[in-house]
Each structure stands twice: as C-alpha cells, then as structure tokens.
Amino acid sequence: MQATANTPEVLVEKSAGLATITLNRPDRNNALSVSMRAALEVTLGQVAADDSVSVVLLRAEGRSFCGGLDLSDLPTDTQQWRSRVIAAQMNHLAVVQMPKIVIAAVQGSAVGGGASLALSADILLMADDARLSFPFVKLGIVPDGGSSYFLQQKVGTSVALDLLLTGGMLTADEALRLGLTRRVCDASTLREKAQELAAELLRLPPEARSLTKSLCLKLWGDRLHGILTEEVETFCAATVTVGHQQAISRLRAQLK
C-alpha cells in the first residue's frame, strides 16, 4: 500500500499476539522523514506497552526496506542534525529495550539509518536481494542510530571498521557467512518466512522469551546508552567540518 495524504507512513496490525509494523513510503524507498521517525516512535511505544503483543515483525512495503535519511529534507544546521540523530536513537532503543521479541524482515536496500534500524532487531531475516549499506563517512558524518555499536557487537570490530570506514555494503550472503543472520530466503517468500518465524516464536513460553532477551541484553547492552551519548556529540562535531560541508554541497547539487 502506497502512503498518501490519508495513509499513514507507518502501519501497524495486531493479531493473536503478533504486531506487524510496516514502513509505508514505498514511493520513496521508505526513506525516513521527520514525520516517519515520529510516527515510528509512537507506534513502537504503543506496541511495547500492549500486553496482548509478545512478538513484533518490522517490515516494509515496496522493493526496499528503508532508504535511510530522506534526502529531500536534509538538515541545514547542527541542531537539526542533532534532533534527527536523537530521533533515530529513540526508535532503535525502543526496539532493543522492549520485552517483546522483534524480527526485522529486510528486502532490497537498507541504507544508513535503515540498516541501523534492522540491526536493532533481535532476529534479522534477510531476502537474498537484501543489502545493508553504511554510507555515513561518504557524507562526512559518523554512523548514527547505534549502528557502530550494533555492528561491533554482532559481527566484530574488524568487520565493523571495514564497513564503516569505507562506507561499505553487506549483502545477504555476507551477512549469513559472518553470522549477522542465520536466515536468508528468496525475496518472493520473505513475508511468508517472516510470518512462519513469528508463529514459531509465539508457540514458545512468553516469559522465557522475554527473560532470555533481557539476559542477553545485559551482556552487550549495558554500555549502549553511554555510546549513544558519545555518538550524538561526535556526529554534531562532524557536521561542522569542511569535509561534511563539501559532501552535502555535492549531494544537494546532485538532487537539483
């Protein structure tokens, strides 16, 4: 379903313990506008507080999971960048911290903040055409939304550095080989496989699921808040550099 003036940019559907959250700007490759980030924050908060929900499926309409920052609405100063980074962090923290199990089903491109959103999920399911891209350095900025932390925790520092320092991309096959996911499927079956995985999780004791997530989070999540604070300040520092200003000028020229 394509988002229009009367269609929300973020959809939610609840059924038998499962909440399906859908990014719904397929005409923009689900690029994350200010309004879409705000809608996602509200939706995640409502789902987290809903006792009838124990599993969450995060998916997207269209060919791509998420094109990252909406390039038609680029921030123009450091304060605007700060607000965007904090909004992204709040979305991803909500995913990490909710006691529900969150599945991200990713097809096509997941770029920048879209890749960070996917990495925040508990279980990553990738279509065989999925690609996680981290182009931050190419824009003269640092990774946001916790992506530097998530990557280092989930694939290791050496791989994370390679991806983030080069503005690189991770294919579904590479993600499988590196252990970022153990689930890759044909793109045409992504929704079906995601539903099957959700049903499998729903058959398990809910208390054990939540406690297991909480236990695992204690191992790697305790430093997350501190890292996110550092991330905001480092990101803002990057936005006043010559390299960032030049990169943004080139990007604006390309968008004209």
Side-chain angles (χ1 to χ4, degrees):
M1 180 186 295
Q2 180 170 316
T4 67
N6 299 315
T7 306
E9 294 177 318
V10 177
L11 306 174
V12 61
E13 180 182 354
K14 299 176 185 178
S15 176
L18 173 65
T20 301
I21 298 174
T22 302
L23 307 182
N24 189 43
R25 293 185 75 202
D27 56 317
R28 299 287 301 173
N29 286 325
N30 297 305
L32 293 160
S33 63
V34 173
S35 60
M36 192 172 186
R37 278 290 191 190
L40 189 56
E41 180 178 0
V42 171
T43 301
L44 288 168
Q46 291 174 342
V47 167
D50 189 339
D51 291 337
S52 71
V53 172
S54 61
V55 175
V56 178
L57 171 58
L58 184 59
R59 60 173 301 275
E61 284 292 333
R63 294 178 300 174
S64 292
F65 179 74
C66 179
L69 178 69
D70 188 348
L71 298 181
S72 67
D73 185 26
L74 285 170
T76 57
D77 58 42
T78 297
Q79 188 55 47
Q80 288 184 11
W81 279 113
R82 179 185 292 271
S83 297
R84 300 288 183 94
V85 172
I86 291 174
Q89 290 179 347
M90 292 303 99
N91 284 171
H92 306 168
L93 270 176
V95 173
V96 170
Q97 294 178 333
M98 72 167 66
K100 331 291 186 182
I101 309 306
V102 182
I103 305 164
V106 177
Q107 79 277 15
S109 297
V111 180
S116 304
L117 177 60
L119 289 173
S120 70
D122 303 307
I123 300 176
L124 178 61
L125 170 61
M126 299 179 73
D128 54 10
D129 68 347
R131 303 172 303 280
L132 304 179
S133 300
F134 305 91
F136 304 99
V137 70
K138 296 178 180 179
L139 294 177
I141 52 178
V142 302
D144 76 334
S147 56
S148 64
Y149 189 72
F150 293 140
L151 268 178
Q152 289 185 82
Q153 292 298 322
K154 296 188 175 188
V155 297
T157 299
S158 60
V159 173
L161 281 170
D162 188 321
L163 286 167
L164 297 175
L165 291 176
T166 63
M169 178 182 69
L170 197 63
T171 66
D173 285 344
E174 289 175 302
L176 183 65
R177 178 172 53 83
L178 291 168
L180 182 61
T181 182
R182 52 189 290 260
R183 301 173 186 273
V184 174
C185 66
D186 187 276
S188 64
T189 66
L190 180 65
R191 182 115 191 227
E192 177 187 349
K193 295 298 183 182
Q195 295 284 354
E196 290 176 357
L197 176 56
E200 178 183 341
L201 288 165
L202 285 166
R203 288 192 291 269
L204 300 172
E207 300 86 359
R209 289 198 313 260
S210 295
L211 288 170
T212 299
K213 175 173 178 173
S214 176
L215 180 63
C216 290
L217 187 60
K218 289 182 187 302
L219 178 65
W220 66 269
D222 284 350
R223 296 181 59 235
L224 181 56
H225 283 87
I227 293 298
L228 293 180
T229 299
E230 290 288 337
E231 179 183 270
V232 172
E233 299 309 318
T234 306
F235 194 105
C236 289
T239 64
V240 299
T241 63
V242 173
H244 170 68
Q245 299 300 328
Q246 291 175 340
I248 289 297
S249 293
R250 288 193 297 269
L251 180 59
R252 291 187 190 281
Q254 293 170 6
L255 294 174
K256 287 182 179 179

